Amino acid sequence: MPNAAGDLDVEALNDRLAREHPIDDYYDRAPLPIRLIERRRLAIIREMLGDCAGLDLAEIGSGGGHVLRMFPRAHITAIDVSDVFLATARKNLAGYDARFLKGEVDKLDLPAASFDRIICTEVLEHTVDPEAVLAALARLLRPAGVAAITVPNDPLINRLKGLVRRTPVGHLLRDRIQWGGDVYHLHQWTPEQFGRLLSCHFRVTERRAAPHDALPIRACFRCVPL
């Protein structure tokens, strides 16, 4: 898959991802192990950010709004490049104090220090320029703010999928062994590699894993401004 900005229609790619892997189905009807991993990821994000009552909270790559639903008392900004994802987010966040912005965050004309809390979860692997996105997040976060940023541990996930494929069940499933559209990932990092990338833009105050440190499928970082 091309990874140069001139070769990639980011909006079309994410619309296709949203149609092929409906986000409501992913959270509600994915195989039980995946649902348990994702519930743990969401719990970690909630613990890292706190209640957020009365705070300005943005999610970069908001998807269907499932993460933002955990913060009913925040002033929410949902940002995504996909009309399909944003339509789902509007449905799932009905009744919330929420606004919805379409576009790539590093290209939106948002004022610096706009948010007390920022979430960017399972998104950066889909972006053309993760460094530019992280720089934008650092610019948008207020001096006393906190960001929760997570990425999949794709090197580990790919090894696990390889093991499954060598079992009788894997032989039957064949190409259906996909975890939420990870074939759309443009980048892959180990938690250590991603931590080094983050350190260029934030101070990491906490690092955790979902479902557990012994099986770090999702790497989760609590970040504050440098």
Side-chain angles (χ1 to χ4, degrees):
M1 186 173 293
N3 60 7
D7 298 331
L8 188 63
D9 185 332
V10 174
E11 179 181 346
L13 184 72
N14 281 271
D15 281 343
R16 195 172 85 198
L17 169 64
R19 293 188 181 102
E20 291 182 1
H21 299 273
I23 194 70
D24 284 342
D25 287 350
Y26 180 73
Y27 278 98
D28 297 335
R29 289 177 283 279
L32 181 60
I34 295 175
R35 279 183 282 142
L36 293 175
I37 291 167
E38 302 303 16
R39 287 173 191 169
R40 183 61 189 144
R41 172 176 62 91
L42 266 59
I44 290 171
I45 292 169
R46 177 67 173 76
E47 292 162 8
M48 285 181 168
L49 295 186
D51 179 67
C52 295
L55 299 182
D56 293 315
L57 167 65
E59 184 176 10
I60 312 308
S62 60
H66 298 82
V67 181
L68 290 172
R69 285 194 302 193
M70 298 190 297
F71 303 96
R73 299 197 292 165
H75 307 301
I76 287 171
T77 299
I79 301 173
D80 207 287
V81 298
S82 167
D83 281 323
V84 181
F85 277 135
L86 286 173
T88 305
R90 287 187 177 93
K91 176 193 69 176
N92 286 330
L93 294 170
Y96 284 66
D97 176 8
R99 64 170 175 162
F100 303 87
L101 302 179
K102 179 183 176 182
E104 298 173 73
V105 67
D106 53 312
K107 297 179 175 64
L108 293 176
D109 188 22
L110 292 169
S114 288
F115 303 108
D116 302 293
R117 301 288 186 269
I118 292 177
I119 301 167
C120 186
T121 179
E122 312 302 295
V123 168
L124 287 161
E125 65 276 9
H126 296 277
T127 63
V128 172
D129 189 349
E131 287 266 16
V133 176
L134 288 172
L137 268 59
R139 186 183 72 84
L140 292 172
L141 192 62
R142 288 174 180 152
V146 177
I149 301 174
T150 85
V151 292
N153 185 352
D154 275 319
L156 173 59
I157 291 169
N158 289 334
R159 290 199 299 273
L160 293 174
K161 288 196 299 184
L163 291 174
V164 172
R165 286 192 177 100
R166 289 194 287 273
T167 68
V169 171
H171 181 72
L172 289 173
L173 291 174
R174 296 182 184 274
D175 291 337
R176 286 180 290 169
I177 304 174
Q178 301 297 344
W179 294 18
D182 48 355
V183 295
Y184 286 91
H185 294 182
L186 304 179
H187 308 274
Q188 295 187 7
W189 300 281
T190 65
E192 293 74 20
Q193 289 169 337
F194 189 72
R196 289 193 292 272
L197 181 65
L198 276 179
S199 67
C200 299
H201 303 276
F202 297 96
R203 181 167 63 88
V204 175
T205 61
E206 185 180 6
R207 175 177 142 184
R208 298 169 68 181
H212 192 273
D213 288 344
L215 188 64
I217 299 294
R218 306 297 191 209
C220 310
F221 300 82
R222 183 184 187 274
C223 304
V224 298
L226 290 172

